[in-house]
Amino acid sequence: MTPLRVLALASAIATLVFSSETAAAQPQPDPAAVAAVKARYEKREVRIPMRDGVKLFTSIYAPRDSTRKYPVLMTRTPYSVAPYGADSYRATLGPNPRYTQEGFIFVYQDVRGRNYSEGEFTEMTPHKAAKRANRGKKIVDESTDSYDTIDWLTKNVARNNGRVGIVGGSYPGFYTTASCIDAHPALKACSPQAPMTDVAMGDDIFHNGAFLLPHNFSFYTRFGRGPRTEPGPDKQYPFSMGTSDAYQFYLAMGPIGPGSRKYLNAETAPHWQLILEHPNYDDHWKARDIRPHLKNMKPAILTVGGFYDTEDLFGPFATYSTIERQNPGANNKLVIGPWSHGGWNRGDGNILGNLRWTTKTGPFYRDSVEFPFFMQHLKGAADAGLPEALVFRTGADEWDRYDVWPPREAEQRSLYLHAGGKLSFEPSGAGPLASADVNPATARPAGGSPAAALPADYDAYVSDPMKPVPLVDRIEGHGMPRDYITADQRFAARRPDVLVYQTEPLTEDITIAGPVNPVLHVATSGTDADFVVKLIDVFPDDAPNWAGDSSGFRVAGYQQLVRGEPFRGKFRKSFSNPVAFVPDQPDSIGFEMPDVNHTFRKGHRIMIQIQSSWFPHID
């Protein structure tokens, strides 16, 4: 393949906002923990009928104590409610052991078409409000399935107090969000956590038109394998990369369509096939964006996410902001911490990849945020006292309480790329070649007016698809390390196919709060190119190592990735209708990167890296 010459023009602008697994096998839990749960809870397995006659497999764990009533806390999942069998128990119930000790009626449900539930499974079930004049119609989606389940539970489970909560993370986060639309009156509290919201725009499948290769390939070698002929776990097909070098595996696989069909085909991996058939943001994907339907949200909502989530970083911000905009007066709160995918539910939350901080964010969230939220709304306990937005400030190691997100005190500022790798808040004398804009409500590109010719000065690099810039220095496992999002970028800065711009050492702390909006003026010798923009915190050369850290990581000079995001150039005017570049003719792209709340300390530098591959994270 011929390498592309990519020109990132020196007048480019980075606009920033500133402020001063599937369960095919039964799990093997700890016997002592299982015995403790069994002593306090009675398990039932039922098949709850939906309005169209389909029955959904549901496990119910109810306290054996009969002296009081309990609320229901439910999770709906495509990943199995195992262990199956009335005498097979989980080791813990609810998000963490504290819920088991407190006492709830815990409900776990296989969603429609998954594992032992009947019906046909649909990825990210489209909401069908427009086709459903009233709830008596036998037109179903995840909202109606949740409604029917809650209605059955409140009428058929003894000693329930008439209050229901629902919680779920990642894919179950999507089902949690959907449950809150036109919710059953008994549903009082919902917590979508890292919810899949728009998988073809910012969550699991595509980011700005660029395909997340290892994330999806590794997932669909395990999930949704067919054909499904009757209720039960997915069929399993042996798969091995045959190497520990994921970079080389995906490079050797070649173009995704013909390359992946050596391992996945339309019959045995139908959901993978759907991705191959829909590379653009077409009606298939638009129907799966749940945001337009987030209306009439009556339950209290606690949306949770992590700044270092490599899977669903887009979803929490998109879900919260859409509910806020479309439901004036809703009890709608946001919590974002320094966590990886689901990291708030486990561990101390003070270590991730190369990063260390003093605050134990995990126990704080579990004990002082989530548990009081459900206790307030399901058991009538004291007000949890949560702000509108509780957001951890990375780089400063502290929590911020905001009455709106992004914070209203933020002011918009711009950083400009200059010749010689300089980055400054002062614009260059030439001014931008063209303009581009992004609608922050939808994160759709508006496109720019191409310039007539190249300027006298520009920065250029050669991007070779057979020697792409790696995601991290060495890529093992399935190819998407969870800690890449904090990875040291010094290795990338040394490559000739990565442009590097940085400020002088800062003379005061600077905090960025909210989305980051790159605007690039570019040209390429080809007809398409990816552009990856990385926002980086550069530590001083004399920065000390983390206190008490024995990992051996050298903090001095650390180029900490704060945010990175790709954009596939052919979608610069529309994600639905790609447009080729005219070779060597300047054009513009603008897009929105996920939110940050990060303090660049005095003495640090702000760095921007621009490149056209990020492999194998992006195909």
Side-chain angles (χ1 to χ4, degrees), residues 311-618:
E311 300 180 41
D312 297 298
L313 175 59
F314 172 87
F317 292 108
T319 296
Y320 163 79
S321 62
T322 303
I323 293 173
E324 193 70 7
R325 186 173 61 255
Q326 296 179 174
N327 299 266
N331 188 344
N332 179 39
K333 300 186 184 301
L334 175 71
V335 180
I336 304 290
W339 303 307
S340 62
H341 194 60
W344 46 92
N345 282 325
R346 56 185 180 269
D348 284 340
N350 61 350
I351 296 175
L352 184 66
N354 297 318
L355 289 178
R356 305 288 186 273
W357 46 92
T358 59
T359 306
K360 292 188 176 182
T361 63
F364 167 74
Y365 164 77
R366 295 189 291 271
D367 295 339
S368 301
V369 179
E370 183 193 80
F371 188 73
F373 169 79
F374 281 117
M375 288 294 291
Q376 173 187 347
H377 295 288
L378 300 185
K379 288 200 169 187
D383 191 311
L386 302 179
E388 175 77 10
L390 182 64
V391 185
F392 192 82
R393 182 145 42 93
T394 58
D397 197 2
E398 60 184 66
W399 289 97
D400 291 329
R401 298 168 67 92
Y402 294 115
D403 57 6
V404 63
W405 180 262
R408 59 170 50 92
E409 61 267 30
E411 59 179 282
Q412 185 162 308
R413 296 277 303 280
S414 292
L415 273 171
Y416 298 85
L417 312 182
H418 292 264
K422 303 298 183 181
L423 185 66
S424 171
F425 290 106
E426 298 299 324
S428 61
L433 285 175
S435 63
D437 194 16
V438 168
N439 179 349
T442 60
R444 301 292 189 268
S449 301
L454 294 175
D457 296 319
Y458 54 82
D459 292 332
Y461 55 99
V462 175
S463 184
D464 186 345
M466 295 309 296
K467 296 179 181 178
V469 180
L471 181 63
V472 295
D473 218 356
R474 178 165 174 79
I475 302 170
E476 298 181 324
H478 60 75
M480 195 195 71
R482 284 183 177 270
D483 59 356
Y484 89 82
I485 204 165
T486 69
D488 191 344
Q489 299 300 306
R490 279 177 277 201
F491 80 95
R494 300 184 185 107
R495 288 183 58 116
D497 50 357
V498 177
L499 297 183
V500 179
Y501 305 87
Q502 63 178 338
T503 65
E504 295 297 322
L506 300 175
T507 58
E508 61 181 354
D509 289 357
I510 293 180
T511 296
I512 301 179
V516 180
N517 297 298
V519 177
L520 301 178
H521 305 290
V522 300
T524 174
S525 60
T527 56
D528 191 18
D530 289 344
F531 293 92
V532 178
V533 177
K534 297 186 291 189
L535 174 66
I536 296 164
D537 187 343
V538 182
F539 285 59
D541 289 337
D542 60 354
N545 286 345
W546 309 120
D549 180 28
S550 59
S551 69
F553 177 72
R554 186 172 179 269
V555 175
Y558 178 23
Q559 295 180 9
Q560 179 205 335
L561 183 64
V562 174
R563 184 62 71 236
E565 194 74 355
F567 190 97
R568 186 142 291 171
K570 66 182 179 181
F571 296 113
R572 66 198 179 280
K573 298 184 184 299
S574 166
F575 287 112
S576 301
N577 300 296
V579 177
F581 282 100
V582 176
D584 295 319
Q585 178 173 304
D587 210 326
S588 298
I589 61 174
F591 61 100
E592 183 173 284
M593 300 166 75
D595 297 35
V596 298
N597 193 40
H598 183 83
T599 294
F600 293 82
R601 291 294 198 183
K602 178 181 177 180
H604 289 220
R605 298 172 186 257
I606 302 175
M607 176 183 283
I608 299 291
Q609 291 184 4
I610 300 173
Q611 58 203 54
S612 287
S613 55
W614 212 15
F615 194 75
H617 178 48
I618 302 302

Side-chain angles (χ1 to χ4, degrees), residues 212-329:
L212 278 60
L213 174 54
H215 180 105
N216 287 280
F217 181 82
S218 63
F219 181 72
Y220 288 107
T221 58
R222 297 172 287 114
F223 178 86
R225 301 302 299 267
R228 174 180 162 107
T229 57
E230 60 185 12
D234 289 338
K235 294 185 177 181
Q236 295 297 298
Y237 298 84
F239 172 76
S240 172
M241 286 186 174
T243 176
S244 62
D245 188 342
Y247 180 98
Q248 186 57 42
F249 170 81
Y250 288 110
L251 199 61
M253 190 169 75
I256 292 175
S260 68
R261 290 191 180 97
K262 293 181 285 187
Y263 311 100
L264 304 171
N265 61 56
E267 181 179 17
T268 67
H271 307 301
W272 174 263
Q273 179 64 26
L274 281 174
I275 294 174
L276 299 183
E277 292 172 357
H278 297 279
N280 303 334
Y281 195 71
D282 58 13
D283 289 343
H284 173 85
W285 297 120
K286 291 175 184 178
R288 284 157 174 76
D289 177 7
I290 199 169
R291 286 178 291 174
H293 310 290
L294 299 183
K295 302 173 183 177
N296 194 29
M297 307 285 276
K298 300 298 184 184
I301 299 167
L302 181 71
T303 303
V304 182
F307 278 126
Y308 304 122
D309 190 336
T310 57
E311 300 180 41
D312 297 298
L313 175 59
F314 172 87
F317 292 108
T319 296
Y320 163 79
S321 62
T322 303
I323 293 173
E324 193 70 7
R325 186 173 61 255
Q326 296 179 174
N327 299 266

Side-chain angles (χ1 to χ4, degrees), residues 22 77-78 110-117 121 223-224 228 232 234:
T22 56
T77 178
D110 285 336
V111 297
R112 181 179 292 256
R114 290 294 297 156
N115 292 288
Y116 288 99
S117 282
F121 175 70
F223 178 86
R228 174 180 162 107
D234 289 338

Side-chain angles (χ1 to χ4, degrees), residues 13-204:
I13 302 171
T15 302
L16 311 175
V17 178
F18 287 83
S19 72
S20 307
E21 313 316 276
T22 56
Q26 298 281 314
Q28 301 298 320
D30 175 50
V34 170
V37 170
K38 194 170 184 177
R40 297 186 61 179
Y41 289 85
E42 179 182 11
K43 180 182 179 184
R44 295 170 57 195
E45 293 184 336
V46 299
R47 288 170 169 79
I48 299 178
M50 300 295 102
R51 63 191 63 192
D52 62 346
V54 167
K55 296 179 180 179
L56 303 187
F57 187 95
T58 310
S59 294
I60 303 170
Y61 296 80
R64 294 185 185 275
D65 170 49
S66 60
T67 62
R68 55 194 175 117
K69 293 183 177 181
Y70 296 89
V72 173
L73 188 57
M74 179 169 67
T75 295
R76 306 186 66 239
T77 178
Y79 296 136
S80 167
V81 302
Y84 294 99
D87 201 45
S88 296
Y89 280 64
R90 290 175 171 237
T92 61
L93 300 171
N96 63 66
R98 189 169 181 184
Y99 291 81
T100 309
Q101 298 161 6
E102 170 63 30
F104 291 82
I105 297 169
F106 298 98
V107 174
Y108 300 91
Q109 185 175 78
D110 285 336
V111 297
R112 181 179 292 256
R114 290 294 297 156
N115 292 288
Y116 288 99
S117 282
E118 298 174 353
E120 182 178 349
F121 175 70
T122 302
E123 282 267 46
M124 296 290 292
T125 314
H127 189 75
K128 300 176 181 176
K131 298 180 180 179
R132 195 176 56 212
N134 60 69
R135 291 195 172 274
K137 301 291 184 180
K138 292 186 178 181
I139 297 175
V140 297
D141 54 25
E142 301 309 332
S143 172
T144 65
D145 280 358
S146 299
Y147 189 103
D148 294 349
T149 298
I150 292 171
D151 195 61
W152 189 95
L153 291 169
T154 55
K155 293 175 180 176
N156 292 278
V157 177
R159 299 189 304 279
N160 78 81
N161 71 355
R163 296 187 175 196
V164 178
I166 183 166
V167 60
S170 194
Y171 216 146
F174 160 73
Y175 293 105
T176 299
T177 302
S179 299
C180 303
I181 304 170
D182 300 324
H184 191 283
L187 184 58
K188 303 300 183 183
C190 299
S191 184
Q193 302 183 358
M196 292 166 59
T197 301
D198 188 348
V199 294
M201 189 50 57
D203 285 317
D204 294 78

